[in-house]
DNA sequence: TAACATTATGTTAGCGCTAACATCGACAAC
DNA sequence: GTTGTCGATGTTAGCGCTAACATAATGTTA
């Protein structure tokens, strides 16, 4: 008699045996307790505890053609912005019946497509992807995924399924408006790794400049290099070299803004008098900086939390009131733009 | 005839059919091509391509009692230190035959144990855990995991299996030595979230103070609150209030150091004359700060990379030369401690 | 050339779970 | 009482893959 050894740990059959029921009843008791009488449920739970039984997720996934995996694809693991959102997702999913499967697309759409393909191959319970700029193929894959899909960080009017985020265009415009209102005249833009969301911030910024009568493309400096504090410091130097009359900058994120601050300090400028600086995201350090730095506050943690809530609702059979959730943003004015007249 | 629908995508049987071979030959051709003749291998690869076949990982895991999952458990998703290491791990594993399964232990040992249990339940190909301070139960679980296990970030003399990291004690001592050498007299320590690695840094620092004849426990200020730039700023204020004669600080990480810098700037101190500041990890921003900040440079990316290399070696049947890899660290001296005696 | 390795491929029986259908008893309706 | 309905439980047959053994084809040695 041929025999394979298995993993060596207790199976659902062991539990069924001990509880004196059939395996399917154990399966039901664990997945949907309401389908089993109190009497048997108690016996089964006891057996589970005694045997220290843990369901074999692979066997379950194979039999049901549906895994307990939630696929999450973000473009960066080091960007604090995504870290906060991820933390929210893990805080919520990590404890329950779901396994988070994380992918890093490195801001490359084809990588994202490859990851989506690979994750869908596992029959995930849900998918979370960053942004709204998927390739056509990725979109189609996700539309036919047969599971809830949430696009996070950004919003738009054509969700694959659901969306949680905020308008980067509006955020960029608010930043631009603020600098105009503060009376700055030659307002620049510093942008690293111009991903689609940064582009929309820039578009919003441009609109603010135009409506404020200050639009000057020569004051916009962008690069595909990934953002860093050092880069912010460097770029502000380059922009000032090109346009010594520059008197304010909107940086596409907070690292760049902090770098711009350092760059100006090295050049002996005083902030906010000689140069106004505003960042984006409002990372924790912005309030602590000296001078403190103005930024557009975004609630990344809430984005993750709301995304999970939506997914849970759909999996529980509820239909969410709204397929698109705008968590908004808020201008945090601080010393770096607080000049008098 | 009862029929179940399956996932709807091609199976190994479809490939076998198209290629005119048995399923096991396809299985072998995909897992270990050397076991199949060139002739059949080519036919099989063609069939795979034509059918767009993707192996069902759950079925494979079930049949082989071994999944292609690599479990990674870190204590924080937002700490840049781990982000760099994770990036290395994902850069390497994400493309190949392995799936990274990430867990966040939140610096709680029992959480880590729970995650280890849950990951081992999936029969992982390898496990990566942060630090050397697992609970006894966790240690035992990992020792009997039947797969390579790498402890990262720290090193010690009693690895569960393998280790990649550096000595935090030595790092802390080097930081202390540096401040002594620079002639600072009343040298403080600022420590947030005193996890085991921070404790070892502090111990190293203490030894340096003792050997330098400057040990003063009153100058050590720690908290369990998690580290942040704001906290660094706040704590340096508190420490200076307690000990106005303080003239240098070693911060247990770079966020704290940056916060300390800002705190001192707000208080009107000049760095490095009135206060020397040194951080730990040498995040990218340290070099860009104004003044630039001295730090202990650690190569987090290398830690991830080496961990993956070790795992790959073991899975390929090689025995690594060394079970413990010390990637070391390097003092990066910058303006924040560069005062003239 | 017989005896024996060695290599390439196939057959069969699971891995642990759940979908789909079957059964059984309790209870209601007429 | 017969019929129907409904909820609780059981039986059976896979889900897609691979371990373990079996066999056929080839080379190797004395």
């Amino acid at each position: 008699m041929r025999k394979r050894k298995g993993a060596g740990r207790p199976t659902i059959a062991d539990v069924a045996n001990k509880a004196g029921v059939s395996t399917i009843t154990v399966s039901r008791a664990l997945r949907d307790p309401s389908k089993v009488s109190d009497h048997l449920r108690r016996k089964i739970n006891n057996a589970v505890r005694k045997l220290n039984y843990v369901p074999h997720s692979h066997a379950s996934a194979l039999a049901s053609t549906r895994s307990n995996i939630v696929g999450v694809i973000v473009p960066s693991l080091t960007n604090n912005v995504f870290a906060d959102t991820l933390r929210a997702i893990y805080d919520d999913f990590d404890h329950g019946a779901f396994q988070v499967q994380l992918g890093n697309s490195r801001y490359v759409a084809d990588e994202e497509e490859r990851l989506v393909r690979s994750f869908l191959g596992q029959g995930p319970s849900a998918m979370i992807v960053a942004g709204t700029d998927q390739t056509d193929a990725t979109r189609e894959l996700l539309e036919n995924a047969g599971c809830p899909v949430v696009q996070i960080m950004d919003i738009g009017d054509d969700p694959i399924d659901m969306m949680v985020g905020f308008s980067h265009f509006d955020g960029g415009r608010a930043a631009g408006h603020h600098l105009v209102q503060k009376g700055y005249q030659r307002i620049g833009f510093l942008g690293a790794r111009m991903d689609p969301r940064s582009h929309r911030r820039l578009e919003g910024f441009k609109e603010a400049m135009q409506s404020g009568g200050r639009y000057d493309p020569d004051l916009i400096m962008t690069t595909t290099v990934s953002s860093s504090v050092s880069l912010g410091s460097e770029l502000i130097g380059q922009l000032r070299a090109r346009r010594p009359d520059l008197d304010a900058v909107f940086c596409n994120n907070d690292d760049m803004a902090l770098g711009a601050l350092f760059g100006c300090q090295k050049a002996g400028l005083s902030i906010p008098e000689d140069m106004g600086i505003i960042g984006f995201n409002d990372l924790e350090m912005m309030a602590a900086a000296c001078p403190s730095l103005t930024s557009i506050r975004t609630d990344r943690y809430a984005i993750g939390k709301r995304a999970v809530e939506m997914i849970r609702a759909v999996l529980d059979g509820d239909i969410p009131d709204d397929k698109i959730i705008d968590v908004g943003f808020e201008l945090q004015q601080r010393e770096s733009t607080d000049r008098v007249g």
Side-chain angles (χ1 to χ4, degrees), chain A residues 291-308:
Chain A
S292 60
L293 290 158
T294 298
S295 192
I296 301 290
R297 168 174 295 215
T298 61
D299 195 343
R300 284 94 54 193
Y301 193 89
I303 290 175
K305 208 164 131 63
R306 301 300 292 273
V308 172

Side-chain angles (χ1 to χ4, degrees), chain A residues 171-172 175-176 179 187-192 194 198 201-202 205 219 221-222 227-229 231-233 235-236 239 246 248-262 264 275-282 286 293-296 336-337:
Chain A
L179 293 173
I187 304 171
F189 177 90
L190 248 46
M194 292 300 288
S198 288
R201 289 176 206 165
L202 173 53
F205 170 78
L219 292 170
M221 181 168 266
T222 65
S227 87
S228 67
V229 179
L231 182 66
S233 177
L235 283 194
I236 188 97
L239 188 53
L246 181 80
V249 276
F250 168 39
C251 300
N252 80 323
N253 67 38
D254 289 339
D255 283 353
M256 297 290 289
L258 183 61
L261 170 64
F262 290 143
C264 290
M275 182 76 70
I277 300 176
I278 178 168
F280 202 97
N281 280 320
D282 199 27
M286 301 298 271
L293 290 158
T294 298
S295 192
I296 301 290
S336 70
T337 56

Side-chain angles (χ1 to χ4, degrees), chain A residues 42 44-53:
Chain A
R42 234 185 317 266
I44 290 168
N45 286 337
N46 275 335
V48 165
R49 218 166 300 120
K50 267 188 198 132
L51 294 171
N52 201 12
Y53 168 75

Side-chain angles (χ1 to χ4, degrees), chain A residues 46-334:
Chain A
N46 275 335
V48 165
R49 218 166 300 120
K50 267 188 198 132
L51 294 171
N52 201 12
Y53 168 75
V54 181
H56 293 48
S57 53
H58 300 298
S60 167
L62 180 58
S64 65
T65 68
R66 175 77 39 232
S67 77
N68 65 345
I69 288 173
V70 175
V72 180
I73 300 174
V74 294
S76 166
L77 255 25
T78 43
N79 188 329
N80 285 302
V81 170
F82 297 106
D84 284 330
T85 304
L86 278 180
R87 189 163 49 86
I89 294 170
Y90 272 86
D91 278 355
D92 201 325
F93 274 139
D94 224 15
H95 293 282
F98 293 101
Q99 291 277 356
V100 179
Q101 183 82 45
L102 179 63
N104 176 13
S105 71
R106 277 155 260 222
Y107 291 99
V108 178
D110 287 347
E111 276 285 290
E112 185 181 52
E113 186 178 325
R114 195 184 57 75
L115 286 165
V116 166
R117 231 177 264 282
S118 148
F119 284 11
L120 290 184
Q122 300 178 61
S125 286
M127 288 288 294
I128 297 178
V129 297
T132 56
D133 303 85
Q134 283 74 30
T135 65
D136 288 349
T138 304
R139 250 196 104 87
E140 202 187 321
L141 282 168
L142 289 171
E143 274 163 357
N144 301 316
C147 70
V149 176
V150 186
Q151 290 164 288
I152 57 170
M153 306 318 287
D154 207 343
I155 54 172
D157 37 44
D158 187 23
I160 294 174
D161 180 12
M162 297 180 284
M163 273 180 176
V164 192
F166 60 89
S167 164
H168 292 253
F169 182 92
D170 290 354
R173 190 171 52 185
H177 268 314
H178 175 66
L179 293 173
V180 169
Q181 271 170 12
K182 280 292 168 180
Y184 291 103
Q185 295 301 320
R186 285 156 308 274
I187 304 171
F189 177 90
L190 248 46
R193 169 140 52 216
M194 292 300 288
D195 63 52
R197 285 173 292 289
S198 288
H199 271 293
R200 283 193 274 280
R201 289 176 206 165
L202 173 53
E203 290 309 310
F205 170 78
K206 281 182 186 168
E207 191 184 279
M209 290 305 107
Q210 271 153 356
S211 82
R214 285 171 177 75
Y215 180 58
D216 181 350
D218 191 41
L219 292 170
I220 293 170
M221 181 168 266
T222 65
T223 162
T224 54
V225 175
S226 61
S227 87
S228 67
V229 179
S230 313
L231 182 66
S233 177
E234 203 175 294
L235 283 194
I236 188 97
Q238 289 180 25
L239 188 53
R240 285 192 63 240
R242 185 161 92 193
R243 290 293 298 267
D245 58 341
L246 181 80
D247 68 353
V249 276
F250 168 39
C251 300
N252 80 323
N253 67 38
D254 289 339
D255 283 353
M256 297 290 289
L258 183 61
L261 170 64
F262 290 143
C264 290
Q265 287 176 337
K266 277 176 213 157
L269 299 184
S270 79
I271 313 291
E273 287 73 22
D274 302 333
M275 182 76 70
I277 300 176
I278 178 168
F280 202 97
N281 280 320
D282 199 27
L283 299 183
E284 167 269 329
M285 67 192 178
M286 301 298 271
C290 179
S292 60
L293 290 158
T294 298
S295 192
I296 301 290
R297 168 174 295 215
T298 61
D299 195 343
R300 284 94 54 193
Y301 193 89
I303 290 175
K305 208 164 131 63
R306 301 300 292 273
V308 172
E309 282 169 12
M310 282 177 126
I311 288 170
R312 284 198 184 282
V314 173
L315 292 179
D316 288 351
D318 300 348
I319 296 149
D321 303 338
D322 230 320
K323 290 255 173 188
I324 303 178
I325 295 179
D326 184 351
V327 301
F329 58 84
E330 201 184 326
L331 178 81
Q332 279 289 332
Q333 187 187 325
R334 301 215 179 80

